[in-house]
Amino acid sequence: MIHIREKIEDLIATYYDEGFFLGSIDESLIDETEIKLDVTLPDSYKWYIKTYGCGGIGFDIIGVGRDGHLPVVSSTEKYRSYGMPIGLIVIQDIGEWVYCLDTNRMSKCECPVVTWSMHDRDGIIFRNNNFYEYLLDSLKEAIDNL
């Protein structure tokens, strides 16, 4: 997974000016997020929000703000009120559906990325094995569309 993270870092460094990132955050905000959502976040997502806070290039990963604001908590709580299962953590809101970390299926400090929608009955749909894969796919797609 280190290899994938290095690819992600290279792409972000190369196209940084095309995106928007809040910047690094204090690790205590990650702890606070886990406590408020009653989950353990995967290591890949923790790395991303610790390093970049939130944001992206052509898409927006919901994360944590430097000012202590926790958009990942408020987004997840909002969708839980619409019936989203506990354990799913919203990382991107597309409108019709959300991309989520499925912390119910945590293994070796990682979990899959899935989609969930309150508008259909398809349930939870698998997207990627982990956040690194999801982020790399999303970055490549966004860069291709620049």
Side-chain angles (χ1 to χ4, degrees), residues 12 26 39 45 49 63 67 70 74 78-79 105-106 112 116 118 123-124 128 130-131 136 145:
I12 290 174
D26 187 272
V39 298
Y45 182 69
I49 60 176
D67 61 356
L70 305 173
S74 56
K78 173 180 131 182
Y79 281 97
R105 298 192 303 173
M106 190 74 73
W116 180 84
M118 67 181 162
I124 298 169
N128 293 93
N130 57 61
F131 181 74
L136 184 59
N145 291 322

mmCIF file of all heavy atoms in Angstrom, residues 12 26 39 45 49 63 67 70 74 78-79 105-106 112 116 118 123-124 128 130-131 136 145:
data_model
loop_
_atom_site.group_PDB
_atom_site.id
_atom_site.type_symbol
_atom_site.label_atom_id
_atom_site.label_comp_id
_atom_site.label_asym_id
_atom_site.label_seq_id
_atom_site.Cartn_x
_atom_site.Cartn_y
_atom_site.Cartn_z
ATOM 1 N N ILE A 12 -0.879 14.297 -6.510
ATOM 2 C CA ILE A 12 -1.326 15.504 -5.819
ATOM 3 C C ILE A 12 -0.275 16.599 -5.933
ATOM 4 O O ILE A 12 -0.607 17.760 -6.199
ATOM 5 C CB ILE A 12 -1.691 15.204 -4.347
ATOM 6 C CG1 ILE A 12 -2.967 14.362 -4.291
ATOM 7 C CG2 ILE A 12 -1.864 16.505 -3.553
ATOM 8 C CD1 ILE A 12 -3.354 13.884 -2.901
ATOM 9 N N ASP A 26 -4.279 18.659 13.092
ATOM 10 C CA ASP A 26 -3.771 18.042 14.309
ATOM 11 C C ASP A 26 -4.408 16.663 14.466
ATOM 12 O O ASP A 26 -5.609 16.486 14.249
ATOM 13 C CB ASP A 26 -4.120 18.925 15.510
ATOM 14 C CG ASP A 26 -3.472 18.425 16.772
ATOM 15 O OD1 ASP A 26 -4.097 17.574 17.447
ATOM 16 O OD2 ASP A 26 -2.353 18.865 17.077
ATOM 17 N N VAL A 39 -16.363 4.849 15.705
ATOM 18 C CA VAL A 39 -15.717 3.928 14.773
ATOM 19 C C VAL A 39 -14.206 4.072 14.887
ATOM 20 O O VAL A 39 -13.702 5.031 15.458
ATOM 21 C CB VAL A 39 -16.110 4.212 13.296
ATOM 22 C CG1 VAL A 39 -17.594 4.039 13.064
ATOM 23 C CG2 VAL A 39 -15.637 5.577 12.841
ATOM 24 N N TYR A 45 -7.317 6.532 5.291
ATOM 25 C CA TYR A 45 -8.119 7.751 5.422
ATOM 26 C C TYR A 45 -7.521 8.669 6.493
ATOM 27 O O TYR A 45 -7.484 9.894 6.320
ATOM 28 C CB TYR A 45 -9.568 7.396 5.748
ATOM 29 C CG TYR A 45 -10.484 8.585 5.852
ATOM 30 C CD1 TYR A 45 -10.825 9.337 4.727
ATOM 31 C CD2 TYR A 45 -11.025 8.953 7.077
ATOM 32 C CE1 TYR A 45 -11.671 10.432 4.832
ATOM 33 C CE2 TYR A 45 -11.876 10.042 7.190
ATOM 34 C CZ TYR A 45 -12.200 10.778 6.059
ATOM 35 O OH TYR A 45 -13.033 11.856 6.173
ATOM 36 N N ILE A 49 -6.546 12.617 5.783
ATOM 37 C CA ILE A 49 -7.052 13.795 6.481
ATOM 38 C C ILE A 49 -5.983 14.452 7.350
ATOM 39 O O ILE A 49 -5.997 15.665 7.520
ATOM 40 C CB ILE A 49 -8.359 13.515 7.263
ATOM 41 C CG1 ILE A 49 -8.188 12.444 8.321
ATOM 42 C CG2 ILE A 49 -9.481 13.172 6.300
ATOM 43 C CD1 ILE A 49 -9.438 12.207 9.179
ATOM 44 N N GLY A 63 -13.578 15.574 4.912
ATOM 45 C CA GLY A 63 -12.608 15.237 5.948
ATOM 46 C C GLY A 63 -12.780 16.096 7.180
ATOM 47 O O GLY A 63 -13.861 16.211 7.736
ATOM 48 N N ASP A 67 -9.728 24.235 11.594
ATOM 49 C CA ASP A 67 -10.354 25.033 12.643
ATOM 50 C C ASP A 67 -11.118 24.189 13.656
ATOM 51 O O ASP A 67 -11.789 24.718 14.530
ATOM 52 C CB ASP A 67 -11.294 26.063 12.021
ATOM 53 C CG ASP A 67 -12.413 25.412 11.219
ATOM 54 O OD1 ASP A 67 -12.429 24.173 11.081
ATOM 55 O OD2 ASP A 67 -13.273 26.157 10.711
ATOM 56 N N LEU A 70 -15.626 19.463 11.827
ATOM 57 C CA LEU A 70 -15.549 18.056 11.433
ATOM 58 C C LEU A 70 -16.629 17.735 10.396
ATOM 59 O O LEU A 70 -17.639 17.092 10.720
ATOM 60 C CB LEU A 70 -15.688 17.156 12.658
ATOM 61 C CG LEU A 70 -14.699 17.410 13.803
ATOM 62 C CD1 LEU A 70 -15.064 16.576 15.018
ATOM 63 C CD2 LEU A 70 -13.274 17.142 13.352
ATOM 64 N N SER A 74 -20.479 15.655 10.550
ATOM 65 C CA SER A 74 -21.801 16.213 10.247
ATOM 66 C C SER A 74 -22.430 15.538 9.026
ATOM 67 O O SER A 74 -23.633 15.263 9.020
ATOM 68 C CB SER A 74 -21.734 17.729 10.073
ATOM 69 O OG SER A 74 -20.805 18.092 9.084
ATOM 70 N N LYS A 78 -25.830 13.292 9.217
ATOM 71 C CA LYS A 78 -26.960 13.657 8.361
ATOM 72 C C LYS A 78 -27.507 12.428 7.635
ATOM 73 O O LYS A 78 -28.716 12.169 7.657
ATOM 74 C CB LYS A 78 -26.515 14.710 7.341
ATOM 75 C CG LYS A 78 -27.549 15.060 6.294
ATOM 76 C CD LYS A 78 -26.988 16.112 5.357
ATOM 77 C CE LYS A 78 -27.203 15.720 3.922
ATOM 78 N NZ LYS A 78 -26.641 16.682 2.987
ATOM 79 N N TYR A 79 -26.628 11.640 7.026
ATOM 80 C CA TYR A 79 -27.093 10.471 6.282
ATOM 81 C C TYR A 79 -27.553 9.338 7.199
ATOM 82 O O TYR A 79 -28.422 8.558 6.816
ATOM 83 C CB TYR A 79 -26.046 10.016 5.264
ATOM 84 C CG TYR A 79 -26.101 10.898 4.036
ATOM 85 C CD1 TYR A 79 -25.229 11.964 3.893
ATOM 86 C CD2 TYR A 79 -27.075 10.690 3.065
ATOM 87 C CE1 TYR A 79 -25.315 12.798 2.792
ATOM 88 C CE2 TYR A 79 -27.161 11.521 1.961
ATOM 89 C CZ TYR A 79 -26.284 12.572 1.832
ATOM 90 O OH TYR A 79 -26.373 13.410 0.738
ATOM 91 N N ARG A 105 -16.539 -3.609 7.962
ATOM 92 C CA ARG A 105 -15.739 -4.666 7.332
ATOM 93 C C ARG A 105 -14.244 -4.356 7.427
ATOM 94 O O ARG A 105 -13.479 -4.633 6.513
ATOM 95 C CB ARG A 105 -16.175 -4.847 5.877
ATOM 96 C CG ARG A 105 -17.632 -5.274 5.800
ATOM 97 C CD ARG A 105 -18.065 -5.748 4.455
ATOM 98 N NE ARG A 105 -17.849 -4.767 3.399
ATOM 99 C CZ ARG A 105 -18.035 -5.014 2.113
ATOM 100 N NH1 ARG A 105 -18.429 -6.203 1.718
ATOM 101 N NH2 ARG A 105 -17.833 -4.079 1.214
ATOM 102 N N MET A 106 -13.844 -3.808 8.562
ATOM 103 C CA MET A 106 -12.444 -3.468 8.797
ATOM 104 C C MET A 106 -11.600 -4.729 8.898
ATOM 105 O O MET A 106 -11.977 -5.687 9.573
ATOM 106 C CB MET A 106 -12.319 -2.659 10.087
ATOM 107 C CG MET A 106 -10.962 -2.055 10.319
ATOM 108 S SD MET A 106 -10.599 -0.637 9.288
ATOM 109 C CE MET A 106 -11.615 0.602 10.025
ATOM 110 N N PRO A 112 -13.285 -1.465 2.975
ATOM 111 C CA PRO A 112 -13.678 -1.112 1.612
ATOM 112 C C PRO A 112 -14.382 0.241 1.539
ATOM 113 O O PRO A 112 -14.913 0.740 2.532
ATOM 114 C CB PRO A 112 -14.624 -2.240 1.200
ATOM 115 C CG PRO A 112 -15.074 -2.880 2.455
ATOM 116 C CD PRO A 112 -14.034 -2.604 3.491
ATOM 117 N N TRP A 116 -23.771 4.225 -1.064
ATOM 118 C CA TRP A 116 -25.064 4.044 -0.426
ATOM 119 C C TRP A 116 -25.973 5.176 -0.879
ATOM 120 O O TRP A 116 -25.524 6.316 -1.059
ATOM 121 C CB TRP A 116 -24.935 4.076 1.098
ATOM 122 C CG TRP A 116 -26.246 3.893 1.798
ATOM 123 C CD1 TRP A 116 -26.865 2.711 2.088
ATOM 124 C CD2 TRP A 116 -27.134 4.917 2.253
ATOM 125 N NE1 TRP A 116 -28.068 2.937 2.699
ATOM 126 C CE2 TRP A 116 -28.269 4.293 2.810
ATOM 127 C CE3 TRP A 116 -27.085 6.312 2.237
ATOM 128 C CZ2 TRP A 116 -29.329 5.001 3.359
ATOM 129 C CZ3 TRP A 116 -28.150 7.021 2.769
ATOM 130 C CH2 TRP A 116 -29.247 6.368 3.336
ATOM 131 N N MET A 118 -30.049 6.803 -0.290
ATOM 132 C CA MET A 118 -31.342 6.742 0.387
ATOM 133 C C MET A 118 -32.486 6.677 -0.623
ATOM 134 O O MET A 118 -33.622 6.448 -0.251
ATOM 135 C CB MET A 118 -31.512 7.952 1.298
ATOM 136 C CG MET A 118 -31.619 9.254 0.579
ATOM 137 S SD MET A 118 -31.782 10.582 1.776
ATOM 138 C CE MET A 118 -31.343 11.960 0.753
ATOM 139 N N GLY A 123 -29.046 -1.063 -1.726
ATOM 140 C CA GLY A 123 -28.230 -1.352 -0.557
ATOM 141 C C GLY A 123 -26.830 -0.794 -0.681
ATOM 142 O O GLY A 123 -26.595 0.213 -1.332
ATOM 143 N N ILE A 124 -25.908 -1.465 -0.073
ATOM 144 C CA ILE A 124 -24.511 -1.047 -0.059
ATOM 145 C C ILE A 124 -23.822 -1.696 -1.249
ATOM 146 O O ILE A 124 -23.849 -2.913 -1.407
ATOM 147 C CB ILE A 124 -23.856 -1.470 1.271
ATOM 148 C CG1 ILE A 124 -24.562 -0.769 2.436
ATOM 149 C CG2 ILE A 124 -22.362 -1.161 1.262
ATOM 150 C CD1 ILE A 124 -24.189 -1.308 3.799
ATOM 151 N N ASN A 128 -14.322 -0.030 -3.968
ATOM 152 C CA ASN A 128 -12.882 -0.312 -3.935
ATOM 153 C C ASN A 128 -12.532 -1.086 -2.668
ATOM 154 O O ASN A 128 -13.235 -0.997 -1.676
ATOM 155 C CB ASN A 128 -12.061 0.982 -3.947
ATOM 156 C CG ASN A 128 -12.175 1.738 -5.244
ATOM 157 O OD1 ASN A 128 -13.017 2.605 -5.351
ATOM 158 N ND2 ASN A 128 -11.346 1.424 -6.213
ATOM 159 N N ASN A 130 -10.089 -0.462 -0.631
ATOM 160 C CA ASN A 130 -9.670 0.425 0.455
ATOM 161 C C ASN A 130 -9.648 1.870 -0.041
ATOM 162 O O ASN A 130 -9.833 2.136 -1.231
ATOM 163 C CB ASN A 130 -8.304 0.007 1.006
ATOM 164 C CG ASN A 130 -7.235 -0.027 -0.056
ATOM 165 O OD1 ASN A 130 -6.931 0.992 -0.672
ATOM 166 N ND2 ASN A 130 -6.667 -1.203 -0.295
ATOM 167 N N PHE A 131 -9.416 2.794 0.867
ATOM 168 C CA PHE A 131 -9.435 4.217 0.538
ATOM 169 C C PHE A 131 -8.311 4.592 -0.422
ATOM 170 O O PHE A 131 -8.508 5.435 -1.300
ATOM 171 C CB PHE A 131 -9.365 5.061 1.820
ATOM 172 C CG PHE A 131 -9.401 6.535 1.554
ATOM 173 C CD1 PHE A 131 -10.585 7.149 1.183
ATOM 174 C CD2 PHE A 131 -8.250 7.297 1.663
ATOM 175 C CE1 PHE A 131 -10.620 8.522 0.919
ATOM 176 C CE2 PHE A 131 -8.275 8.658 1.412
ATOM 177 C CZ PHE A 131 -9.459 9.281 1.034
ATOM 178 N N LEU A 136 -6.833 6.891 -5.527
ATOM 179 C CA LEU A 136 -6.022 6.830 -6.743
ATOM 180 C C LEU A 136 -6.919 6.798 -7.980
ATOM 181 O O LEU A 136 -6.684 7.537 -8.943
ATOM 182 C CB LEU A 136 -5.089 5.618 -6.710
ATOM 183 C CG LEU A 136 -4.116 5.496 -7.886
ATOM 184 C CD1 LEU A 136 -3.215 6.724 -7.990
ATOM 185 C CD2 LEU A 136 -3.287 4.228 -7.742
ATOM 186 N N ASN A 145 -9.856 14.360 -16.827
ATOM 187 C CA ASN A 145 -10.910 15.289 -17.218
ATOM 188 C C ASN A 145 -10.511 16.755 -17.104
ATOM 189 O O ASN A 145 -11.345 17.643 -17.358
ATOM 190 C CB ASN A 145 -12.172 15.035 -16.379
ATOM 191 C CG ASN A 145 -12.811 13.720 -16.729
ATOM 192 O OD1 ASN A 145 -12.854 13.324 -17.888
ATOM 193 N ND2 ASN A 145 -13.296 13.013 -15.720
#
